[in-house]
């Protein structure tokens, strides 16, 4: 099964994208992990290395899809 | 069933998002229409009114999710 990681930081744009987009993903095809970078700060480097520039971002098979714009990764790092 | 419209313009970023994101949407929950604004130019106004600013964009229940950045709607209008 393909793997996706949804990186977010609890921002309103993130919460909305999580509810809507993630709610419509086919979980029989895709294993989705949700990572709150504000809480799981040790995952920030991993997100950065994958190419995540802002949150919310959905990474599927190492390809990054930025969905709208909640906050920059730099803001999350500084926060 | 909820309704989604994926607006694109045939750009590489659009094609990639279509293949990946749309391929993982649960079609048993979501009816997805794909609109190529370069070909279906009479849908540009509708996209604009929904708040689409760039393509690719996925609109679910009138909420716009811009996915990465392929081209601005203005570019599509001018094209």
């Amino acid at each position: 099964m393909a793997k996706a990681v949804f990186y977010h930081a609890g921002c309103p744009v993130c919460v909305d994208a999580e509810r809507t987009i993630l709610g419509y993903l086919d979980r029989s095809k895709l294993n989705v992990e949700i990572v709150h970078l504000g809480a799981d700060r040790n995952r920030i480097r991993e997100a950065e290395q994958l190419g995540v520039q802002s949150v919310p971002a959905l990474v599927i098979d190492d390809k990054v899809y930025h969905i709208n714009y909640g906050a920059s990764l730099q803001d999350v790092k500084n926060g």
Side-chain angles (χ1 to χ4, degrees), chain A residues 11-57:
Chain A
C11 59
V13 173
C14 297
V15 170
D16 177 72
E18 183 179 341
R19 286 195 186 139
T20 305
I21 304 277
L22 265 59
Y24 287 116
L25 291 178
D26 186 344
R27 303 302 180 97
S28 71
K29 290 183 186 168
L30 198 62
N31 182 14
V32 182
E33 182 190 12
I34 297 172
V35 176
H36 187 317
L37 291 175
D40 255 344
R41 301 189 65 81
N42 59 337
R43 304 285 296 269
I44 292 176
R45 180 183 291 270
E46 159 201 312
E48 199 167 33
Q49 285 173 344
L50 284 165
V52 173
Q53 295 177 358
S54 62
V55 287

